[in-house]
Short mmCIF file of all heavy atoms in Angstrom, two decimals:
data_model
loop_
_atom_site.label_atom_id
_atom_site.label_comp_id
_atom_site.label_asym_id
_atom_site.label_seq_id
_atom_site.Cartn_x
_atom_site.Cartn_y
_atom_site.Cartn_z
N MET A 1 -0.11 9.74 -23.92
CA MET A 1 0.11 8.52 -23.17
C MET A 1 -0.57 7.36 -23.91
O MET A 1 -1.68 7.47 -24.40
CB MET A 1 -0.50 8.64 -21.77
CG MET A 1 -0.38 7.35 -21.03
SD MET A 1 -1.37 7.02 -19.57
CE MET A 1 -1.49 8.48 -18.67
N ILE A 2 0.11 6.26 -23.98
CA ILE A 2 -0.44 5.05 -24.60
C ILE A 2 -1.24 4.30 -23.54
O ILE A 2 -0.78 4.12 -22.40
CB ILE A 2 0.68 4.16 -25.15
CG1 ILE A 2 1.43 4.91 -26.27
CG2 ILE A 2 0.14 2.84 -25.65
CD1 ILE A 2 2.65 4.19 -26.77
N THR A 3 -2.43 3.87 -23.92
CA THR A 3 -3.25 3.08 -22.99
C THR A 3 -3.69 1.79 -23.67
O THR A 3 -3.74 1.71 -24.90
CB THR A 3 -4.50 3.85 -22.53
OG1 THR A 3 -5.30 4.17 -23.67
CG2 THR A 3 -4.13 5.12 -21.80
N ALA A 4 -4.00 0.81 -22.86
CA ALA A 4 -4.45 -0.49 -23.37
C ALA A 4 -5.86 -0.36 -23.94
O ALA A 4 -6.61 0.54 -23.59
CB ALA A 4 -4.42 -1.51 -22.25
N HIS A 5 -6.19 -1.29 -24.81
CA HIS A 5 -7.53 -1.33 -25.39
C HIS A 5 -8.56 -1.55 -24.27
O HIS A 5 -8.30 -2.32 -23.33
CB HIS A 5 -7.60 -2.46 -26.42
CG HIS A 5 -8.82 -2.40 -27.26
ND1 HIS A 5 -10.01 -2.95 -26.86
CD2 HIS A 5 -9.03 -1.81 -28.46
CE1 HIS A 5 -10.91 -2.73 -27.80
NE2 HIS A 5 -10.34 -2.03 -28.78
N PRO A 6 -9.71 -0.89 -24.35
CA PRO A 6 -10.73 -1.04 -23.30
C PRO A 6 -11.13 -2.49 -23.02
O PRO A 6 -11.37 -2.84 -21.86
CB PRO A 6 -11.92 -0.25 -23.84
CG PRO A 6 -11.33 0.76 -24.76
CD PRO A 6 -10.11 0.09 -25.36
N SER A 7 -11.15 -3.34 -24.03
CA SER A 7 -11.54 -4.73 -23.79
C SER A 7 -10.49 -5.46 -22.95
O SER A 7 -10.84 -6.30 -22.10
CB SER A 7 -11.80 -5.48 -25.10
OG SER A 7 -10.62 -5.56 -25.87
N LEU A 8 -9.22 -5.15 -23.15
CA LEU A 8 -8.16 -5.74 -22.34
C LEU A 8 -8.26 -5.23 -20.90
O LEU A 8 -8.17 -6.01 -19.95
CB LEU A 8 -6.78 -5.42 -22.91
CG LEU A 8 -5.59 -5.89 -22.07
CD1 LEU A 8 -5.60 -7.40 -21.89
CD2 LEU A 8 -4.29 -5.41 -22.69
N LEU A 9 -8.48 -3.94 -20.74
CA LEU A 9 -8.64 -3.38 -19.40
C LEU A 9 -9.83 -4.02 -18.69
O LEU A 9 -9.72 -4.41 -17.53
CB LEU A 9 -8.83 -1.86 -19.48
CG LEU A 9 -7.61 -1.06 -19.94
CD1 LEU A 9 -7.99 0.39 -20.20
CD2 LEU A 9 -6.48 -1.16 -18.93
N ARG A 10 -10.95 -4.13 -19.39
CA ARG A 10 -12.15 -4.73 -18.81
C ARG A 10 -11.87 -6.17 -18.37
O ARG A 10 -12.24 -6.58 -17.27
CB ARG A 10 -13.31 -4.70 -19.80
CG ARG A 10 -14.63 -5.16 -19.22
CD ARG A 10 -15.79 -5.09 -20.22
NE ARG A 10 -15.78 -3.89 -21.02
CZ ARG A 10 -15.53 -3.84 -22.33
NH1 ARG A 10 -15.29 -4.94 -23.00
NH2 ARG A 10 -15.55 -2.69 -22.98
N ASP A 11 -11.20 -6.93 -19.21
CA ASP A 11 -10.88 -8.32 -18.89
C ASP A 11 -10.00 -8.41 -17.64
O ASP A 11 -10.25 -9.22 -16.75
CB ASP A 11 -10.18 -8.98 -20.07
CG ASP A 11 -9.78 -10.42 -19.78
OD1 ASP A 11 -10.68 -11.22 -19.44
OD2 ASP A 11 -8.59 -10.74 -19.87
N LEU A 12 -8.98 -7.57 -17.58
CA LEU A 12 -8.07 -7.61 -16.42
C LEU A 12 -8.76 -7.15 -15.14
O LEU A 12 -8.54 -7.72 -14.07
CB LEU A 12 -6.83 -6.77 -16.69
CG LEU A 12 -5.83 -7.40 -17.65
CD1 LEU A 12 -4.79 -6.38 -18.11
CD2 LEU A 12 -5.16 -8.60 -17.01
N ILE A 13 -9.61 -6.12 -15.24
CA ILE A 13 -10.36 -5.66 -14.07
C ILE A 13 -11.24 -6.79 -13.55
O ILE A 13 -11.23 -7.10 -12.36
CB ILE A 13 -11.21 -4.42 -14.41
CG1 ILE A 13 -10.32 -3.21 -14.65
CG2 ILE A 13 -12.23 -4.14 -13.31
CD1 ILE A 13 -11.04 -2.02 -15.29
N GLU A 14 -11.99 -7.41 -14.45
CA GLU A 14 -12.89 -8.50 -14.05
C GLU A 14 -12.10 -9.68 -13.47
O GLU A 14 -12.51 -10.28 -12.48
CB GLU A 14 -13.73 -8.96 -15.24
CG GLU A 14 -14.78 -7.95 -15.64
CD GLU A 14 -15.54 -8.35 -16.89
OE1 GLU A 14 -15.31 -9.45 -17.45
OE2 GLU A 14 -16.37 -7.53 -17.34
N ARG A 15 -10.97 -10.00 -14.08
CA ARG A 15 -10.16 -11.12 -13.59
C ARG A 15 -9.64 -10.83 -12.18
O ARG A 15 -9.72 -11.69 -11.30
CB ARG A 15 -8.99 -11.37 -14.54
CG ARG A 15 -8.25 -12.66 -14.23
CD ARG A 15 -7.14 -12.94 -15.20
NE ARG A 15 -7.51 -12.68 -16.58
CZ ARG A 15 -6.63 -12.50 -17.56
NH1 ARG A 15 -5.34 -12.55 -17.33
NH2 ARG A 15 -7.04 -12.26 -18.78
N CYS A 16 -9.12 -9.64 -11.96
CA CYS A 16 -8.60 -9.28 -10.63
C CYS A 16 -9.71 -9.28 -9.59
O CYS A 16 -9.52 -9.80 -8.47
CB CYS A 16 -7.92 -7.92 -10.67
SG CYS A 16 -6.32 -7.94 -11.50
N GLU A 17 -10.86 -8.72 -9.93
CA GLU A 17 -11.97 -8.69 -8.97
C GLU A 17 -12.47 -10.09 -8.66
O GLU A 17 -12.73 -10.42 -7.50
CB GLU A 17 -13.10 -7.82 -9.51
CG GLU A 17 -12.74 -6.34 -9.52
CD GLU A 17 -13.78 -5.47 -10.17
OE1 GLU A 17 -14.62 -5.99 -10.95
OE2 GLU A 17 -13.75 -4.25 -9.92
N THR A 18 -12.62 -10.93 -9.67
CA THR A 18 -13.09 -12.30 -9.47
C THR A 18 -12.11 -13.10 -8.62
O THR A 18 -12.51 -13.79 -7.67
CB THR A 18 -13.30 -13.00 -10.83
OG1 THR A 18 -14.30 -12.29 -11.56
CG2 THR A 18 -13.72 -14.45 -10.66
N LEU A 19 -10.84 -12.99 -8.94
CA LEU A 19 -9.82 -13.73 -8.19
C LEU A 19 -9.72 -13.22 -6.75
O LEU A 19 -9.53 -14.02 -5.83
CB LEU A 19 -8.48 -13.66 -8.89
CG LEU A 19 -8.39 -14.46 -10.20
CD1 LEU A 19 -7.14 -14.08 -10.98
CD2 LEU A 19 -8.45 -15.95 -9.93
N SER A 20 -9.88 -11.93 -6.55
CA SER A 20 -9.85 -11.37 -5.18
C SER A 20 -11.00 -11.93 -4.35
O SER A 20 -10.80 -12.32 -3.18
CB SER A 20 -9.95 -9.85 -5.22
OG SER A 20 -8.79 -9.29 -5.76
N ARG A 21 -12.19 -11.96 -4.94
CA ARG A 21 -13.35 -12.53 -4.23
C ARG A 21 -13.15 -14.01 -3.94
O ARG A 21 -13.43 -14.49 -2.84
CB ARG A 21 -14.63 -12.33 -5.04
CG ARG A 21 -15.18 -10.92 -5.00
CD ARG A 21 -16.57 -10.82 -5.59
NE ARG A 21 -16.64 -11.29 -6.97
CZ ARG A 21 -16.44 -10.53 -8.04
NH1 ARG A 21 -16.14 -9.26 -7.90
NH2 ARG A 21 -16.53 -11.04 -9.25
N ARG A 22 -12.66 -14.74 -4.94
CA ARG A 22 -12.43 -16.18 -4.77
C ARG A 22 -11.40 -16.45 -3.69
O ARG A 22 -11.57 -17.35 -2.86
CB ARG A 22 -11.99 -16.80 -6.09
CG ARG A 22 -11.90 -18.32 -6.05
CD ARG A 22 -11.53 -18.91 -7.38
NE ARG A 22 -12.47 -18.51 -8.41
CZ ARG A 22 -12.17 -18.46 -9.71
NH1 ARG A 22 -10.97 -18.78 -10.13
NH2 ARG A 22 -13.08 -18.10 -10.59
N LEU A 23 -10.34 -15.66 -3.66
CA LEU A 23 -9.29 -15.83 -2.67
C LEU A 23 -9.82 -15.54 -1.26
O LEU A 23 -9.46 -16.22 -0.30
CB LEU A 23 -8.10 -14.93 -2.98
CG LEU A 23 -6.84 -15.15 -2.17
CD1 LEU A 23 -6.31 -16.56 -2.37
CD2 LEU A 23 -5.78 -14.13 -2.55
N ALA A 24 -10.71 -14.56 -1.15
CA ALA A 24 -11.28 -14.20 0.16
C ALA A 24 -12.20 -15.29 0.69
O ALA A 24 -12.26 -15.53 1.91
CB ALA A 24 -12.04 -12.89 0.06
N THR A 25 -12.91 -15.98 -0.20
CA THR A 25 -13.87 -17.00 0.23
C THR A 25 -13.30 -18.41 0.23
O THR A 25 -13.73 -19.24 1.02
CB THR A 25 -15.14 -16.96 -0.64
OG1 THR A 25 -14.78 -17.17 -2.00
CG2 THR A 25 -15.87 -15.64 -0.49
N HIS A 26 -12.37 -18.68 -0.66
CA HIS A 26 -11.78 -20.01 -0.78
C HIS A 26 -10.27 -19.88 -1.02
O HIS A 26 -9.81 -20.05 -2.16
CB HIS A 26 -12.41 -20.80 -1.93
CG HIS A 26 -13.87 -21.04 -1.75
ND1 HIS A 26 -14.84 -20.18 -2.22
CD2 HIS A 26 -14.53 -22.04 -1.12
CE1 HIS A 26 -16.02 -20.64 -1.91
NE2 HIS A 26 -15.87 -21.77 -1.25
N PRO A 27 -9.51 -19.55 0.01
CA PRO A 27 -8.07 -19.33 -0.18
C PRO A 27 -7.36 -20.57 -0.73
O PRO A 27 -7.64 -21.69 -0.31
CB PRO A 27 -7.57 -19.03 1.24
CG PRO A 27 -8.77 -18.68 2.04
CD PRO A 27 -9.93 -19.39 1.40
N SER A 28 -6.51 -20.32 -1.71
CA SER A 28 -5.67 -21.40 -2.23
C SER A 28 -4.43 -20.78 -2.86
O SER A 28 -4.45 -19.63 -3.29
CB SER A 28 -6.42 -22.23 -3.28
OG SER A 28 -6.48 -21.56 -4.52
N ALA A 29 -3.38 -21.57 -2.92
CA ALA A 29 -2.13 -21.10 -3.51
C ALA A 29 -2.30 -20.81 -5.00
O ALA A 29 -1.73 -19.85 -5.52
CB ALA A 29 -1.02 -22.12 -3.28
N VAL A 30 -3.09 -21.62 -5.67
CA VAL A 30 -3.31 -21.44 -7.11
C VAL A 30 -4.02 -20.12 -7.37
O VAL A 30 -3.62 -19.33 -8.24
CB VAL A 30 -4.11 -22.62 -7.70
CG1 VAL A 30 -4.52 -22.34 -9.13
CG2 VAL A 30 -3.30 -23.90 -7.62
N THR A 31 -5.07 -19.84 -6.61
CA THR A 31 -5.81 -18.59 -6.78
C THR A 31 -4.93 -17.40 -6.44
O THR A 31 -4.94 -16.38 -7.14
CB THR A 31 -7.09 -18.59 -5.93
OG1 THR A 31 -7.90 -19.70 -6.31
CG2 THR A 31 -7.88 -17.31 -6.10
N ALA A 32 -4.14 -17.51 -5.38
CA ALA A 32 -3.24 -16.43 -4.99
C ALA A 32 -2.24 -16.14 -6.10
O ALA A 32 -1.97 -14.97 -6.43
CB ALA A 32 -2.53 -16.77 -3.69
N ARG A 33 -1.71 -17.18 -6.71
CA ARG A 33 -0.74 -17.01 -7.80
C ARG A 33 -1.40 -16.36 -9.01
O ARG A 33 -0.83 -15.48 -9.65
CB ARG A 33 -0.12 -18.36 -8.17
CG ARG A 33 0.92 -18.26 -9.25
CD ARG A 33 2.13 -17.49 -8.76
NE ARG A 33 2.97 -17.18 -9.90
CZ ARG A 33 3.78 -16.16 -9.95
NH1 ARG A 33 3.89 -15.35 -8.94
NH2 ARG A 33 4.51 -15.95 -11.01
N ARG A 34 -2.60 -16.81 -9.35
CA ARG A 34 -3.31 -16.22 -10.49
C ARG A 34 -3.61 -14.75 -10.24
O ARG A 34 -3.50 -13.92 -11.15
CB ARG A 34 -4.60 -16.99 -10.77
CG ARG A 34 -4.35 -18.34 -11.38
CD ARG A 34 -5.65 -19.07 -11.65
NE ARG A 34 -5.37 -20.37 -12.25
CZ ARG A 34 -6.23 -21.36 -12.27
NH1 ARG A 34 -7.43 -21.21 -11.72
NH2 ARG A 34 -5.90 -22.50 -12.82
N LEU A 35 -4.00 -14.41 -9.02
CA LEU A 35 -4.26 -13.01 -8.68
C LEU A 35 -2.97 -12.20 -8.77
O LEU A 35 -2.97 -11.09 -9.29
CB LEU A 35 -4.89 -12.89 -7.29
CG LEU A 35 -5.16 -11.46 -6.81
CD1 LEU A 35 -6.07 -10.71 -7.79
CD2 LEU A 35 -5.77 -11.48 -5.41
N ASP A 36 -1.88 -12.75 -8.27
CA ASP A 36 -0.59 -12.06 -8.38
C ASP A 36 -0.23 -11.79 -9.84
O ASP A 36 0.22 -10.69 -10.19
CB ASP A 36 0.54 -12.88 -7.73
CG ASP A 36 0.50 -12.86 -6.21
OD1 ASP A 36 -0.23 -12.02 -5.63
OD2 ASP A 36 1.19 -13.70 -5.61
N ASP A 37 -0.43 -12.78 -10.70
CA ASP A 37 -0.13 -12.61 -12.12
C ASP A 37 -1.01 -11.55 -12.76
O ASP A 37 -0.52 -10.69 -13.51
CB ASP A 37 -0.29 -13.94 -12.87
CG ASP A 37 0.78 -14.96 -12.51
OD1 ASP A 37 1.80 -14.58 -11.90
OD2 ASP A 37 0.57 -16.15 -12.83
N ALA A 38 -2.30 -11.60 -12.49
CA ALA A 38 -3.23 -10.62 -13.06
C ALA A 38 -2.94 -9.22 -12.53
O ALA A 38 -2.98 -8.24 -13.27
CB ALA A 38 -4.68 -11.02 -12.75
N THR A 39 -2.62 -9.14 -11.24
CA THR A 39 -2.29 -7.86 -10.62
C THR A 39 -1.03 -7.28 -11.26
O THR A 39 -0.98 -6.09 -11.60
CB THR A 39 -2.08 -8.01 -9.11
OG1 THR A 39 -3.32 -8.44 -8.52
CG2 THR A 39 -1.64 -6.71 -8.46
N TYR A 40 -0.02 -8.10 -11.44
CA TYR A 40 1.23 -7.66 -12.06
C TYR A 40 0.95 -7.10 -13.45
O TYR A 40 1.41 -6.00 -13.80
CB TYR A 40 2.23 -8.81 -12.13
CG TYR A 40 3.48 -8.44 -12.88
CD1 TYR A 40 4.51 -7.73 -12.25
CD2 TYR A 40 3.64 -8.77 -14.22
CE1 TYR A 40 5.65 -7.36 -12.94
CE2 TYR A 40 4.78 -8.41 -14.92
CZ TYR A 40 5.78 -7.71 -14.28
OH TYR A 40 6.91 -7.34 -14.97
N THR A 41 0.19 -7.83 -14.24
CA THR A 41 -0.12 -7.40 -15.60
C THR A 41 -0.87 -6.07 -15.60
O THR A 41 -0.53 -5.15 -16.35
CB THR A 41 -0.93 -8.48 -16.34
OG1 THR A 41 -0.19 -9.70 -16.34
CG2 THR A 41 -1.24 -8.06 -17.77
N LEU A 42 -1.87 -5.96 -14.75
CA LEU A 42 -2.66 -4.73 -14.69
C LEU A 42 -1.79 -3.56 -14.22
O LEU A 42 -1.89 -2.45 -14.74
CB LEU A 42 -3.87 -4.91 -13.78
CG LEU A 42 -4.87 -3.76 -13.77
CD1 LEU A 42 -5.46 -3.54 -15.17
CD2 LEU A 42 -5.99 -4.03 -12.78
N CYS A 43 -0.92 -3.81 -13.27
CA CYS A 43 -0.03 -2.75 -12.78
C CYS A 43 0.93 -2.29 -13.86
O CYS A 43 1.18 -1.09 -14.02
CB CYS A 43 0.74 -3.21 -11.54
SG CYS A 43 -0.26 -3.24 -10.03
N VAL A 44 1.48 -3.22 -14.62
CA VAL A 44 2.39 -2.85 -15.72
C VAL A 44 1.65 -2.02 -16.76
O VAL A 44 2.14 -0.97 -17.20
CB VAL A 44 3.02 -4.11 -16.37
CG1 VAL A 44 3.73 -3.76 -17.67
CG2 VAL A 44 3.98 -4.77 -15.39
N ILE A 45 0.47 -2.45 -17.13
CA ILE A 45 -0.31 -1.76 -18.16
C ILE A 45 -0.70 -0.35 -17.71
O ILE A 45 -0.73 0.57 -18.52
CB ILE A 45 -1.56 -2.59 -18.53
CG1 ILE A 45 -1.12 -3.79 -19.37
CG2 ILE A 45 -2.58 -1.76 -19.28
CD1 ILE A 45 -2.22 -4.76 -19.66
N THR A 46 -0.98 -0.19 -16.42
CA THR A 46 -1.44 1.12 -15.92
C THR A 46 -0.32 1.97 -15.34
O THR A 46 -0.54 3.11 -14.95
CB THR A 46 -2.53 0.94 -14.85
OG1 THR A 46 -2.02 0.15 -13.77
CG2 THR A 46 -3.78 0.30 -15.43
N GLY A 47 0.88 1.41 -15.24
CA GLY A 47 2.00 2.15 -14.68
C GLY A 47 1.87 2.39 -13.18
O GLY A 47 2.31 3.42 -12.67
N THR A 48 1.28 1.44 -12.49
CA THR A 48 1.07 1.55 -11.05
C THR A 48 1.78 0.41 -10.33
O THR A 48 2.37 -0.46 -10.97
CB THR A 48 -0.43 1.53 -10.71
OG1 THR A 48 -0.99 0.29 -11.17
CG2 THR A 48 -1.17 2.69 -11.38
N ARG A 49 1.65 0.39 -8.99
CA ARG A 49 2.33 -0.66 -8.22
C ARG A 49 1.42 -1.42 -7.27
O ARG A 49 1.86 -2.40 -6.68
CB ARG A 49 3.47 -0.04 -7.41
CG ARG A 49 4.57 0.47 -8.29
CD ARG A 49 5.69 1.01 -7.47
NE ARG A 49 6.75 1.47 -8.35
CZ ARG A 49 8.01 1.52 -8.00
NH1 ARG A 49 8.39 1.18 -6.80
NH2 ARG A 49 8.91 1.94 -8.85
N GLN A 50 0.19 -0.96 -7.10
CA GLN A 50 -0.74 -1.62 -6.17
C GLN A 50 -2.05 -1.88 -6.88
O GLN A 50 -2.49 -1.09 -7.72
CB GLN A 50 -0.98 -0.76 -4.93
CG GLN A 50 0.27 -0.57 -4.10
CD GLN A 50 0.00 0.30 -2.89
OE1 GLN A 50 -0.99 1.02 -2.83
NE2 GLN A 50 0.87 0.22 -1.90
N LEU A 51 -2.70 -2.97 -6.49
CA LEU A 51 -3.93 -3.38 -7.17
C LEU A 51 -5.01 -2.32 -7.10
O LEU A 51 -5.63 -2.01 -8.12
CB LEU A 51 -4.45 -4.71 -6.59
CG LEU A 51 -5.74 -5.23 -7.22
CD1 LEU A 51 -5.60 -5.41 -8.73
CD2 LEU A 51 -6.16 -6.53 -6.56
N ASP A 52 -5.26 -1.74 -5.93
CA ASP A 52 -6.34 -0.75 -5.84
C ASP A 52 -6.09 0.45 -6.75
O ASP A 52 -7.00 0.93 -7.42
CB ASP A 52 -6.59 -0.32 -4.40
CG ASP A 52 -5.37 0.26 -3.71
OD1 ASP A 52 -4.23 0.06 -4.18
OD2 ASP A 52 -5.55 0.92 -2.67
N THR A 53 -4.85 0.89 -6.82
CA THR A 53 -4.51 2.00 -7.71
C THR A 53 -4.63 1.58 -9.17
O THR A 53 -5.14 2.33 -10.00
CB THR A 53 -3.08 2.49 -7.41
OG1 THR A 53 -2.98 2.79 -6.02
CG2 THR A 53 -2.74 3.72 -8.23
N ALA A 54 -4.18 0.38 -9.48
CA ALA A 54 -4.26 -0.12 -10.85
C ALA A 54 -5.71 -0.24 -11.31
O ALA A 54 -6.04 0.12 -12.44
CB ALA A 54 -3.57 -1.48 -10.96
N LEU A 55 -6.59 -0.71 -10.43
CA LEU A 55 -8.01 -0.81 -10.78
C LEU A 55 -8.60 0.57 -11.04
O LEU A 55 -9.35 0.77 -12.00
CB LEU A 55 -8.78 -1.52 -9.66
CG LEU A 55 -8.51 -3.02 -9.53
CD1 LEU A 55 -9.10 -3.56 -8.23
CD2 LEU A 55 -9.06 -3.78 -10.73
N PHE A 56 -8.26 1.53 -10.19
CA PHE A 56 -8.76 2.90 -10.36
C PHE A 56 -8.31 3.48 -11.70
O PHE A 56 -9.12 4.01 -12.47
CB PHE A 56 -8.28 3.77 -9.20
CG PHE A 56 -8.64 5.22 -9.35
CD1 PHE A 56 -9.91 5.67 -9.02
CD2 PHE A 56 -7.71 6.13 -9.84
CE1 PHE A 56 -10.25 7.01 -9.18
CE2 PHE A 56 -8.05 7.47 -9.99
CZ PHE A 56 -9.31 7.91 -9.66
N VAL A 57 -7.02 3.36 -11.98
CA VAL A 57 -6.47 3.92 -13.22
C VAL A 57 -7.05 3.19 -14.44
O VAL A 57 -7.40 3.83 -15.43
CB VAL A 57 -4.92 3.84 -13.21
CG1 VAL A 57 -4.33 4.20 -14.57
CG2 VAL A 57 -4.37 4.76 -12.12
N ALA A 58 -7.17 1.89 -14.37
CA ALA A 58 -7.72 1.12 -15.50
C ALA A 58 -9.16 1.52 -15.78
O ALA A 58 -9.54 1.67 -16.94
CB ALA A 58 -7.63 -0.38 -15.21
N ARG A 59 -9.94 1.69 -14.74
CA ARG A 59 -11.34 2.11 -14.94
C ARG A 59 -11.39 3.51 -15.57
O ARG A 59 -12.21 3.76 -16.45
CB ARG A 59 -12.09 2.10 -13.61
CG ARG A 59 -12.40 0.71 -13.12
CD ARG A 59 -13.24 0.76 -11.84
NE ARG A 59 -13.43 -0.57 -11.31
CZ ARG A 59 -12.86 -1.03 -10.19
NH1 ARG A 59 -12.09 -0.24 -9.46
NH2 ARG A 59 -13.08 -2.26 -9.80
N ARG A 60 -10.52 4.39 -15.12
CA ARG A 60 -10.49 5.75 -15.66
C ARG A 60 -10.05 5.72 -17.13
O ARG A 60 -10.63 6.40 -17.97
CB ARG A 60 -9.55 6.61 -14.83
CG ARG A 60 -9.71 8.09 -15.10
CD ARG A 60 -8.91 8.93 -14.16
NE ARG A 60 -7.49 8.73 -14.49
CZ ARG A 60 -6.48 8.95 -13.69
NH1 ARG A 60 -6.70 9.39 -12.47
NH2 ARG A 60 -5.24 8.75 -14.06
N GLN A 61 -9.03 4.91 -17.46
CA GLN A 61 -8.57 4.80 -18.84
C GLN A 61 -9.66 4.20 -19.73
O GLN A 61 -9.85 4.63 -20.86
CB GLN A 61 -7.31 3.95 -18.92
CG GLN A 61 -6.08 4.63 -18.38
CD GLN A 61 -4.85 3.74 -18.42
OE1 GLN A 61 -4.91 2.59 -18.84
NE2 GLN A 61 -3.73 4.28 -17.98
N MET A 62 -10.35 3.20 -19.22
CA MET A 62 -11.41 2.56 -19.98
C MET A 62 -12.54 3.55 -20.27
O MET A 62 -13.03 3.64 -21.40
CB MET A 62 -11.95 1.35 -19.20
CG MET A 62 -12.74 0.40 -20.05
SD MET A 62 -13.08 -1.16 -19.21
CE MET A 62 -14.22 -0.64 -17.96
N ALA A 63 -12.93 4.32 -19.28
CA ALA A 63 -13.99 5.32 -19.46
C ALA A 63 -13.57 6.38 -20.48
O ALA A 63 -14.36 6.77 -21.34
CB ALA A 63 -14.34 5.96 -18.12
N ALA A 64 -12.33 6.83 -20.39
CA ALA A 64 -11.84 7.84 -21.32
C ALA A 64 -11.82 7.30 -22.75
O ALA A 64 -12.20 8.00 -23.70
CB ALA A 64 -10.44 8.31 -20.92
N ALA A 65 -11.39 6.06 -22.92
CA ALA A 65 -11.36 5.45 -24.25
C ALA A 65 -12.76 5.31 -24.81
O ALA A 65 -12.99 5.56 -26.00
CB ALA A 65 -10.66 4.09 -24.19
N LEU A 66 -13.70 4.93 -23.99
CA LEU A 66 -15.08 4.77 -24.45
C LEU A 66 -15.68 6.13 -24.82
O LEU A 66 -16.44 6.23 -25.77
CB LEU A 66 -15.92 4.06 -23.40
CG LEU A 66 -15.54 2.60 -23.16
CD1 LEU A 66 -16.33 2.02 -21.99
CD2 LEU A 66 -15.75 1.77 -24.42
N GLN A 67 -15.33 7.17 -24.10
CA GLN A 67 -15.81 8.51 -24.43
C GLN A 67 -15.26 8.96 -25.79
O GLN A 67 -15.96 9.59 -26.57
CB GLN A 67 -15.42 9.53 -23.37
CG GLN A 67 -16.35 9.56 -22.20
CD GLN A 67 -16.00 10.68 -21.25
OE1 GLN A 67 -14.84 11.12 -21.16
NE2 GLN A 67 -16.99 11.17 -20.53
N ARG A 68 -14.01 8.65 -26.05
CA ARG A 68 -13.41 9.02 -27.33
C ARG A 68 -14.07 8.28 -28.49
O ARG A 68 -14.21 8.81 -29.59
CB ARG A 68 -11.90 8.74 -27.35
CG ARG A 68 -11.09 9.73 -26.54
CD ARG A 68 -9.61 9.57 -26.80
NE ARG A 68 -9.10 8.25 -26.48
CZ ARG A 68 -8.67 7.86 -25.28
NH1 ARG A 68 -8.71 8.71 -24.27
NH2 ARG A 68 -8.21 6.64 -25.09
N GLN A 69 -14.51 7.04 -28.24
CA GLN A 69 -15.15 6.25 -29.28
C GLN A 69 -16.57 6.72 -29.56
O GLN A 69 -17.07 6.59 -30.66
CB GLN A 69 -15.18 4.77 -28.90
CG GLN A 69 -13.82 4.12 -28.94
CD GLN A 69 -13.87 2.69 -28.47
OE1 GLN A 69 -14.90 2.17 -28.05
NE2 GLN A 69 -12.73 2.01 -28.52
N GLN A 70 -17.24 7.26 -28.55
CA GLN A 70 -18.62 7.71 -28.69
C GLN A 70 -18.74 9.15 -28.21
O GLN A 70 -19.18 9.41 -27.10
CB GLN A 70 -19.56 6.81 -27.88
CG GLN A 70 -19.54 5.38 -28.32
CD GLN A 70 -20.43 4.51 -27.44
OE1 GLN A 70 -20.96 4.96 -26.44
NE2 GLN A 70 -20.58 3.28 -27.83
N PRO A 71 -18.35 10.11 -29.05
CA PRO A 71 -18.40 11.50 -28.63
C PRO A 71 -19.84 11.94 -28.33
O PRO A 71 -20.78 11.42 -28.92
CB PRO A 71 -17.82 12.27 -29.81
CG PRO A 71 -17.79 11.33 -30.95
CD PRO A 71 -17.89 9.93 -30.40
N LEU A 72 -19.94 12.87 -27.44
CA LEU A 72 -21.26 13.42 -27.10
C LEU A 72 -21.79 14.23 -28.26
O LEU A 72 -21.05 14.97 -28.92
CB LEU A 72 -21.17 14.31 -25.85
CG LEU A 72 -20.73 13.61 -24.56
CD1 LEU A 72 -20.56 14.65 -23.46
CD2 LEU A 72 -21.77 12.59 -24.15
N HIS A 73 -23.08 14.11 -28.52
CA HIS A 73 -23.72 14.88 -29.60
C HIS A 73 -24.29 16.15 -29.00
O HIS A 73 -24.89 16.14 -27.94
CB HIS A 73 -24.83 14.06 -30.25
CG HIS A 73 -24.30 12.82 -30.91
ND1 HIS A 73 -23.67 12.87 -32.12
CD2 HIS A 73 -24.31 11.53 -30.52
CE1 HIS A 73 -23.31 11.63 -32.45
NE2 HIS A 73 -23.69 10.81 -31.51
N HIS A 74 -24.10 17.25 -29.69
CA HIS A 74 -24.59 18.54 -29.21
C HIS A 74 -25.91 18.86 -29.83
O HIS A 74 -26.30 18.62 -30.86
CB HIS A 74 -23.61 19.67 -29.49
CG HIS A 74 -22.33 19.47 -28.75
ND1 HIS A 74 -22.17 19.85 -27.43
CD2 HIS A 74 -21.15 18.94 -29.12
CE1 HIS A 74 -20.94 19.58 -27.05
NE2 HIS A 74 -20.31 19.01 -28.06
#
């Protein structure tokens, strides 16, 4: 399976979380649209359809990629 680079996943996760918090505290059409755009992108990259699932999958993919980059020493 092809996965996005960990830095892209991290950026999208942070963007979605930040926009979600901002929308909850200061609702606006601009913030809602930005969250929709970020959610769409994250869902496409992770092959999911909902933000909570996309965040879960992205975090799992990011962790797996980081493990591959830094193998455990025996």
Side-chain angles (χ1 to χ4, degrees):
M1 175 197 322
I2 297 173
T3 60
H5 192 275
S7 63
L8 175 60
L9 292 171
R10 186 179 318 112
D11 178 58
L12 285 167
I13 290 167
E14 289 175 3
R15 190 177 317 161
C16 287
E17 290 174 340
T18 298
L19 290 167
S20 291
R21 284 191 303 270
R22 187 177 303 155
L23 189 61
T25 58
H26 298 91
S28 77
V30 171
T31 301
R33 181 67 191 153
R34 288 181 180 161
L35 178 58
D36 286 346
D37 290 346
T39 297
Y40 175 81
T41 302
L42 188 60
C43 284
V44 168
I45 287 173
T46 58
T48 60
R49 293 182 179 206
Q50 296 179 342
L51 179 57
D52 57 342
T53 306
L55 289 169
F56 175 81
V57 171
R59 287 184 185 110
R60 194 173 69 202
Q61 288 178 358
M62 197 169 70
L66 293 174
Q67 277 186 333
R68 285 191 301 273
Q69 289 176 357
Q70 299 177 353
L72 297 175
H73 297 283
H74 296 277

